[in-house]
Amino acid sequence: MRLKAYRYSDPGWYFVTTVTGGRRPLFGTITQSGVELSRIGRVVAEEWESTLLARAWISCAASVVMPDHFHALVGWTAAPANRAADLSAMI
């Protein structure tokens, strides 16, 4: 869900959730000790870390990869003049 009149390029904090199609558990499975990520789940986690490294102006307070979705709490105050800080482009 997105707010129609809201500019997601504005600085601030955002809670992001992405869900797999049909909520299929593509990213891993739940075990007694927690979530065991699949190969795809590990790629999601690694790419998220790469995204944060490539965009040093973005802060991530928390993130988690679950079997059928991904959550992150991200924020920024300003992006460099030559880079767009757009939430949808980052995700």
Side-chain angles (χ1 to χ4, degrees):
M1 302 284 273
R2 293 176 58 111
L3 296 173
K4 292 180 183 183
Y6 191 79
R7 289 176 19 146
Y8 287 89
S9 58
D10 286 347
W13 283 92
Y14 300 89
F15 183 73
V16 175
T17 299
T18 60
V19 180
T20 62
R23 294 203 71 119
R24 292 179 297 167
L26 301 175
F27 301 155
T29 57
I30 300 291
T31 66
Q32 295 245 339
S33 59
V35 177
E36 184 177 319
L37 295 179
S38 66
R39 186 171 59 98
I40 295 170
R42 288 190 301 276
V43 168
V44 170
E46 290 166 8
E47 287 300 316
W48 180 247
E49 290 300 319
S50 294
T51 293
L52 295 175
L53 290 173
R55 294 167 176 87
W57 65 91
I58 294 174
S59 297
C60 180
S63 65
V64 63
V65 179
M66 299 299 288
D68 63 354
H69 63 282
F70 168 78
H71 292 297
L73 180 58
V74 296
W76 61 85
T77 55
N82 63 340
R83 299 292 300 265
D86 181 87
L87 186 62
S88 63
M90 180 186 69
I91 298 301

